[in-house]
Amino acid sequence: MEIFRPLGFDKPLFLATLVLLSFGLVMVFSSSAIMASDTYQQPFHFFIHQLMGAGIGLALILAILFINKPFYENPYFIYGLLILTLVLLALCLVMPALGATQRWIHFYGLRFQPSELAKISLILFIALQLEKKKDELDKISSFLLPLAVVFLGILLIIIEPDYGTAILTFLICTMLFFIGGVKMAYFLVLGVLSSGLFALYLFQATYRIDRIMAFLSPNSDPLGTGFQAIQSKLAVGCGGLFGVSIGESTQKLFFLPCAHTDYIYAIIGEELGLMGTLATLLLFVIILWRGLVISRRAPTMYSRIIAAGLTMAIFTQALLNISIVLGLGPPTGLTLPLLSFGRSSLICILFSIGILLHISQRKEGSRRKR
Amino acid sequence: MKNPRQKKINNRTIILLFFLFIWLGVIILRLVELQVIQHTKFKAEVLNQNHDVKAIFPQRGTIFDRSGNIFARSLPRPSIFYNLPKDESFESHREKINKLRKMLDLSSKNLASIYARIKKGKSFIWIKRKVETEVADRVKELNLSGIHFDEENQRFYPQGKRAAQLLGRVNIDDRGQSGIEYKYNTFLEGEKGKRLILRDAKNREYRFEILKDPEPGKDIILTIDETIQYIAEKELANALRKTQALWGTVIVSHPATGEIAAMANYPTFNLNSPPVNVSRVERNRAIHHTFDPGSTFKIVTASAALENKSVRMHEVFDCTSGKIRIPGKTVWDHKKMGILTFPDVIVHSSNVGTIQVGERIGKKNLYTMIKAYGFGQKTGIDLPAEEKGIFRPIKNWTDISLYSLSIGYEISITAIQMLQAISTVANRGIVTSPRIVKKILMPSGERQEVPVQFRRVISEETAQTLSQILQNVVLRGTGTEAQIDGYSVAGKTGTAQKFDPSIGRYSNRIHTASFVGFVPVENPVLAIVVVIDEPKGKFYGGDVAAPVFKEIASQILRYLQVPKADAFTKTITTARVRSMNGQ
């Protein structure tokens, strides 16, 4: 039997989340104010939207903390969430394109990016499958359904196209199967299969090749595809040890596109220097550490996998985004969790944190009855 | 309690963590590389793309006449330039430029060069420089992206045509190209300031910082008197119209100080709107053009004769035949003049008589005198590109050089050199270097005076005698047309045959008519040289140039309120000249 303690949630995780969230708000304002007053005649435009997202996300966490039952273990909930995600992803494809991509659902002025939700629902779904088939993990048949669903989900994300989220989702799912105890041999098959598909996909659109080429030699065309990569590195490098101080970035003055979303880490690097970039990394490491602690202390095996999956997802996304910002990978559209502007992303990440905190509220009650 | 599955999960989490930490390590190393090791380089690159150091143009100094009338000044004027916004199509650039086309009155040539620069991908393109403020305001109202304004200075010449060749022009960058503007450019232009501009990626300036204030150019006061300049130009233009000559030049100076009061050229042009072929009219012929002086040069011959006592005053020379044979050719007088005394040889400008005088002077003495007057050398006037003329050294003289030089051939001189010679006579034998700039106003309020130099050329006695002879030229000789009521005028006419390259010798059809003189003889206030090239019809200096002298001199004397000659002024004169000799 397990005990639910409403105030027993993991305080360090919550605190790290709040710090990152507040820091994110400051940085979103700093990096977007000039662009926002230029485009919307309102410097607080993005700040206010992000604040709304943070409010909704925190309310969601609060609500989760007061639910006694682990709803995320409920198969109906998981299947419901999964079907909702897939439907929304499919809906995206009939939505009007925004900047040549169809990543958003527009609904009466509300905008939502379902690929953010996809990460959570796939994690929960895979955990559920691993739990159900925990005694048949040696059989390939156990993986047919989860693999098919994952493939479908990633395919829909690719079609949008949202190359970054697709890679991230793929990584997270693989990691989850790995932690869940799937035989190593299966990964080999999966690896060969997916790299083949990936290569095929890559050569379908020239801009993807351009991005890869731009990554490999960014200076070949400094004003074209390599522009973002160069400007991002310039921003980070310009910051030095302590940065040019907050609000003083010059790279955000349209030199660096997406300064408040995908490249917010570059502005952190420019304004706060190495101190800022390392502190940000430290906060993510704290989230990883607390997440894994929660996973270890989780009352059930099932929650354990969920906690580990969600934690890895946040941390991996952070590393992936930062790698791109630092020019270690080709530019893809990925937000930095809790820091980048983007309400869908923010709410979904806070939802994940909420589940993690909920797991931390539950403890094995051993033989003591309440 | 731990089951094998739990153990497996733990192990695999640790393996995953291991890889994640390697990844994290790579990121940290990369951060150190970018933010510590390469920091300086990246910082410099960022500064390079958003910082710009631009010059602030100083206001160019004003040029005044001697009494404070403005000849040239600079006023701020907006210039319009285009900073190509990135990621805009050529069509959108063109649309914007087209909108400006009418407003700025851009020619198709202007447009073509602008488009060419856009195509080349230049980020900075002048659309039009130095436009009217109202025009710039209208352009500002259009609020076109990438169209910016810079404040420059536009040179204005309030007097338009006045003293055009003398003042000179500046180019679009405010750099002097000719005349005073060129010669005194370093003083006039001042020192550029520097400002720091920060730009965003759309090339919009968002912060200015003045690193160094510009130092405005220094003002210059000329010795030119605007009214005298006006009189000289007006009368020269009248004469040129009357005589249908090619060109003419007039210089008016104050002989005692060497200050030039007017320097006129015709044809001329408006400095505010120079013609396309400006190079044809912007030459300052008063100092650039060299010509064979002819009879005016007899002043020098007479000086040599008097100074060396080669002739006695009442000695007579036979000019009855009206011609004289010199090796290889015959020289003619314009009419037969009989027996002439030495002064009358000059008064009637007899070539025959002057050649006999020259023979008496001898090569060496004549050479020394010509040299002493400063022919063949620049007068040192503070104007650019002064010509020194051609005066051959004595070792290169031929058999006839002595005779030719006596009557003003085989030598080419400038009008300013001739003026300097007559000023020497007017000045009781002392030459003063001519000058055009009176003062340079320093910003501290101090005034830098340009030093004056004196040098004796002929004795006072020679000068006095010569003055009397030259006065007689005007009273009863070739220069009667230069007589002015109430004033004593001294002067010499000149009618030089021009060398015609097509026939290889001096032509008797084309002439350079000239007159040099000073007034009043007792206390010279003005020395004037008039040169008129290739007059049609009448061509004698006495007929063509002397009346111009008369018109100009009489008007200036009235303007300067110089009293008509009487005993009183005579006394004053003597006193002044003496004091100057003492220096």
Side-chain angles (χ1 to χ4, degrees):
Chain A
M1 224 16 239
E2 61 174 70
I3 302 169
F4 182 77
R5 303 167 306 154
L7 290 176
F9 62 87
D10 193 85
K11 309 298 187 299
L13 176 64
F14 189 58
L15 205 66
T17 307
L18 283 183
V19 171
L20 274 173
L21 194 62
S22 327
F23 182 44
L25 282 167
V26 173
M27 290 316 296
V28 163
F29 177 66
S30 170
S31 55
S32 72
I34 289 164
M35 192 267 279
S37 37
D38 211 51
T39 326
Y40 302 98
Q41 284 73 48
Q42 163 59 275
F44 290 98
H45 179 86
F46 292 101
F47 176 76
I48 289 168
H49 280 81
Q50 184 79 341
L51 198 62
M52 273 161 50
I56 295 169
L58 286 176
L60 202 59
I61 290 182
L62 213 64
I64 291 169
L65 290 182
F66 285 101
I67 298 172
N68 283 5
K69 291 238 166 70
F71 60 93
Y72 43 85
E73 289 183 4
N74 186 332
Y76 295 111
F77 173 78
I78 292 172
Y79 283 124
L81 194 65
L82 185 69
I83 289 164
L84 177 69
T85 307
L86 292 176
V87 167
L88 287 179
L89 279 175
L91 254 178
C92 274
L93 303 179
V94 297
M95 285 288 162
L98 205 79
T101 58
Q102 294 167 303
R103 297 177 185 175
W104 282 276
I105 296 278
H106 309 266
F107 190 73
Y108 289 107
L110 286 175
R111 236 167 53 170
F112 187 71
Q113 201 173 352
S115 57
E116 297 291 342
L117 191 61
K119 283 177 286 187
I120 300 176
S121 40
L122 283 175
I123 289 168
L124 294 180
F125 172 71
I126 292 168
L128 175 68
Q129 293 304 311
L130 290 170
E131 177 68 17
K132 268 168 61 178
K133 305 276 165 72
K134 60 184 166 194
D135 300 321
E136 301 164 43
L137 287 180
D138 293 343
K139 287 184 192 158
I140 193 107
S141 60
S142 317
F143 300 105
L144 287 180
L145 178 67
L147 275 180
V149 171
V150 167
F151 181 75
L152 180 65
I154 292 179
L155 190 70
L156 284 170
I157 297 173
I158 286 176
I159 295 172
E160 281 180 359
D162 188 350
Y163 172 57
T165 309
I167 290 214
L168 178 67
T169 313
F170 174 78
L171 266 178
I172 292 166
C173 293
T174 315
M175 276 157 63
L176 217 55
F177 282 124
F178 179 74
I179 292 174
V182 176
K183 272 211 305 202
M184 291 307 283
Y186 293 165
F187 283 101
L188 210 69
V189 181
L190 187 70
V192 172
L193 214 71
S194 49
S195 45
L197 282 173
F198 177 68
L200 192 73
Y201 156 80
L202 209 58
F203 285 92
Q204 276 178 327
T206 46
Y207 80 90
R208 293 175 202 135
I209 313 261
D210 285 347
R211 278 180 178 184
I212 306 267
M213 292 317 286
F215 163 63
L216 292 175
S217 56
N219 294 318
S220 62
D221 180 16
L223 292 178
T225 47
F227 185 71
Q228 230 172 357
I230 289 171
Q231 293 300 334
S232 168
K233 271 194 280 178
L234 282 184
V236 175
C238 176
L241 276 180
F242 303 102
V244 295
S245 93
I246 203 136
E248 291 295 303
S249 158
T250 54
Q251 288 297 95
K252 67 190 177 194
L253 301 170
F254 312 99
F255 288 105
L256 180 59
C258 305
H260 63 304
T261 58
D262 298 354
Y263 283 87
I264 199 159
Y265 194 70
I267 301 299
I268 294 174
E270 189 185 0
E271 295 194 345
L272 298 169
L274 189 66
M275 296 301 119
T277 49
L278 288 183
T280 311
L281 278 180
L282 181 68
L283 285 165
F284 281 112
V285 171
I286 289 173
I287 286 184
L288 177 72
W289 165 51
R290 292 321 297 177
L292 293 179
V293 167
I294 290 167
S295 164
R296 269 177 79 93
R297 290 181 187 162
T300 64
M301 212 54 136
Y302 188 15
S303 302
R304 229 168 224 234
I305 292 177
I306 292 176
L310 291 174
T311 308
M312 295 282 188
I314 295 171
F315 191 70
T316 310
Q317 186 175 343
L319 290 191
L320 207 55
N321 171 279
I322 291 171
S323 300
I324 292 162
V325 168
L326 299 183
L328 295 169
T332 62
L334 255 190
T335 57
L336 183 58
L338 296 169
L339 290 173
S340 285
F341 174 79
R343 281 163 300 173
S344 312
S345 163
L346 189 61
I347 293 169
C348 288
I349 297 287
L350 286 173
F351 181 52
S352 305
I353 301 277
I355 295 174
L356 279 173
L357 289 174
H358 191 270
I359 295 173
S360 74
Q361 285 174 314
R362 295 158 53 210
K363 263 230 164 121
E364 254 181 308
S366 55
R367 268 145 209 101
R368 273 201 288 146
K369 282 217 168 160
R370 243 178 113 174
Chain B
M1 203 188 93
K2 281 194 175 174
N3 61 32
R5 185 170 174 232
Q6 193 172 343
K7 216 171 167 186
K8 197 175 186 181
I9 291 177
N10 279 347
N11 287 343
R12 288 202 168 181
T13 309
I14 287 165
I15 293 170
L16 253 185
L17 264 182
F18 175 73
F19 284 111
L20 286 178
F21 273 105
I22 287 179
W23 190 355
L24 187 68
V26 170
I27 286 177
I28 291 172
L29 285 177
R30 177 68 165 178
L31 280 172
V32 171
E33 187 214 339
L34 292 178
Q35 300 196 285
V36 180
I37 299 167
Q38 301 214 58
H39 167 63
T40 331
K41 180 187 147 206
F42 285 131
K43 182 92 195 171
E45 268 181 58
V46 166
L47 290 185
N48 182 36
Q49 71 179 5
N50 65 10
H51 280 54
D52 208 351
V53 176
K54 265 182 111 179
I56 313 175
F57 291 102
Q59 183 154 334
R60 196 174 170 84
T62 305
I63 303 177
F64 296 98
D65 87 334
R66 63 185 305 130
S67 38
N69 297 303
I70 292 171
F71 267 138
R73 78 178 310 177
S74 286
L75 293 173
R77 272 263 177 114
S79 283
I80 302 172
F81 64 94
Y82 188 37
N83 260 149
L84 291 197
K86 285 180 185 117
D87 51 68
E88 258 186 45
S89 66
F90 181 72
E91 278 312 310
S92 104
H93 294 312
R94 192 149 86 175
E95 204 175 292
K96 278 187 262 182
I97 306 297
N98 255 327
K99 275 185 192 161
L100 299 178
R101 183 186 185 154
K102 255 223 173 112
M103 219 174 262
L104 295 176
D105 193 26
L106 298 174
S107 70
S108 49
K109 207 174 138 197
N110 292 341
L111 285 176
S113 89
I114 291 169
Y115 292 147
R117 287 178 69 85
I118 291 177
K119 277 186 187 141
K120 270 192 204 155
K122 301 263 186 204
S123 63
F124 180 94
I125 297 166
W126 285 117
I127 302 293
K128 189 154 191 179
R129 292 176 74 176
K130 304 178 181 181
V131 300
E132 304 272 348
T133 316
E134 303 84 70
V135 174
D137 285 344
R138 259 180 282 147
V139 173
K140 269 179 201 159
E141 274 166 27
L142 291 180
N143 207 10
L144 298 171
S145 69
I147 297 291
H148 300 275
F149 301 85
D150 209 348
E151 190 161 280
E152 292 198 282
N153 289 305
Q154 160 94 48
R155 203 66 167 156
F156 286 104
Y157 302 89
Q159 321 281 346
K161 279 205 259 189
R162 197 79 59 242
Q165 295 84 355
L166 173 68
L167 295 170
R169 293 178 304 125
V170 295
N171 66 7
I172 190 86
D173 292 316
D174 254 8
R175 198 164 254 285
Q177 298 298 290
S178 54
I180 293 287
E181 297 276 26
Y182 174 81
K183 184 78 179 180
Y184 283 88
N185 190 54
T186 41
F187 292 97
L188 288 166
E189 75 178 348
E191 257 180 72
K192 279 180 192 159
K194 259 195 226 162
R195 70 184 158 175
L196 179 72
I197 298 166
L198 280 88
R199 293 179 199 283
D200 67 12
K202 296 183 177 172
N203 256 327
R204 294 176 303 191
E205 298 166 359
Y206 65 92
R207 196 188 291 163
F208 292 95
E209 218 173 286
I210 298 207
L211 299 178
K212 180 174 170 281
D213 278 314
E215 201 179 287
K218 291 160 191 77
D219 295 345
I220 284 182
I221 296 179
L222 298 182
T223 58
I224 300 289
D225 183 302
E226 196 226 322
T227 307
I228 297 179
Q229 179 76 25
Y230 163 74
I231 292 167
E233 286 184 17
K234 183 189 69 176
E235 290 308 325
L236 180 64
N238 280 342
L240 266 283
R241 266 194 297 277
K242 226 180 283 170
T243 59
Q244 296 290 304
L246 280 186
W247 56 266
T249 185
V250 168
I251 314 173
V252 180
S253 81
H254 182 240
T257 57
E259 289 181 358
I260 307 290
M263 191 178 267
N265 282 281
Y266 193 93
T268 189
F269 67 102
N270 189 331
L271 282 166
N272 293 318
S273 51
V276 188
N277 52 356
V278 66
S279 57
R280 280 176 50 193
V281 286
E282 75 171 339
R283 255 163 46 107
N284 188 354
R285 290 194 154 96
I287 58 162
H288 287 174
H289 185 84
T290 62
F291 59 99
D292 288 24
S295 301
T296 48
F297 201 73
K298 288 170 187 164
I299 296 171
V300 180
T301 314
S303 298
L306 290 168
E307 193 76 7
N308 295 299
K309 303 201 164 32
S310 310
V311 294
R312 278 167 288 114
M313 273 303 273
H314 300 292
E315 203 170 325
V316 290
F317 296 89
D318 181 7
C319 307
T320 40
S321 63
K323 61 181 179 184
I324 188 168
R325 185 80 200 153
I326 58 170
K329 66 200 250 185
T330 306
V331 177
W332 299 79
D333 272 338
H334 57 280
K335 62 177 186 197
K336 292 181 181 171
M337 287 180 255
I339 308 284
L340 295 175
T341 58
F342 166 66
D344 279 0
V345 167
I346 306 298
V347 168
H348 299 292
S349 200
S350 163
N351 290 337
V352 176
T354 313
I355 284 172
Q356 294 172 54
V357 172
E359 207 158 21
R360 299 274 288 278
I361 297 166
K363 279 187 182 182
K364 192 155 174 292
N365 286 339
L366 185 64
Y367 175 82
T368 312
M369 185 52 72
I370 295 173
K371 202 88 182 137
Y373 265 105
F375 290 102
Q377 303 155 42
K378 292 179 181 180
T379 63
I381 189 166
D382 37 0
L383 282 172
E386 186 194 354
E387 283 295 331
K388 64 177 199 275
I390 300 167
F391 172 46
R392 281 181 283 159
I394 199 159
K395 64 175 168 29
N396 295 342
W397 286 16
T398 62
D399 295 348
I400 62 162
S401 291
L402 175 65
Y403 312 115
S404 300
L405 281 160
S406 305
I407 57 170
Y409 290 93
E410 273 196 37
I411 185 169
S412 76
I413 66 162
T414 59
I416 190 84
Q417 284 172 335
M418 202 62 235
L419 181 78
Q420 189 175 307
I422 197 74
S423 299
T424 307
V425 179
N427 225 6
R428 305 293 190 263
I430 289 175
V431 68
T432 315
S433 51
R435 50 205 195 100
I436 205 110
V437 168
K438 197 170 174 62
K439 286 165 191 169
I440 298 169
L441 301 185
M442 300 315 242
S444 51
E446 286 168 39
R447 291 161 175 219
Q448 184 185 321
E449 301 268 349
V450 179
V452 190
Q453 285 174 344
F454 300 99
R455 180 169 54 86
R456 180 165 284 284
V457 177
I458 47 175
S459 69
E460 191 172 347
E461 202 194 332
T462 304
Q464 295 266 20
T465 314
L466 205 50
S467 291
Q468 280 169 22
I469 295 172
L470 295 179
Q471 197 174 352
N472 277 307
V473 170
V474 176
L475 282 173
R476 54 186 182 81
T478 51
T480 50
E481 290 285 334
Q483 288 172 16
I484 303 168
D485 232 18
Y487 298 96
S488 50
V489 177
K492 182 74 192 81
T493 57
T495 311
Q497 296 180 335
K498 284 184 81 177
F499 187 82
D500 188 342
S502 65
I503 53 172
R505 59 183 165 81
Y506 287 99
S507 157
N508 45 25
R509 286 186 306 104
I510 50 175
H511 300 84
T512 303
S514 59
F515 186 88
V516 282
F518 57 93
V519 61
V521 175
E522 309 76 33
N523 176 22
V525 174
L526 301 171
I528 301 176
V529 58
V530 177
V531 178
I532 291 175
D533 195 52
E534 295 191 24
K536 310 284 181 296
K538 286 183 180 175
F539 60 85
Y540 286 116
D543 293 332
V544 175
V548 181
F549 172 92
K550 177 199 172 159
E551 279 306 321
I552 293 172
S554 57
Q555 288 175 46
I556 297 172
L557 290 166
R558 198 155 55 236
Y559 161 69
L560 294 178
Q561 299 180 334
V562 177
K564 298 198 173 181
D566 61 23
F568 178 69
T569 40
K570 212 166 184 171
T571 355
I572 302 281
T573 308
T574 325
R576 266 179 65 182
V577 171
R578 267 185 196 145
S579 80
M580 206 178 72
N581 286 346
Q583 285 182 9

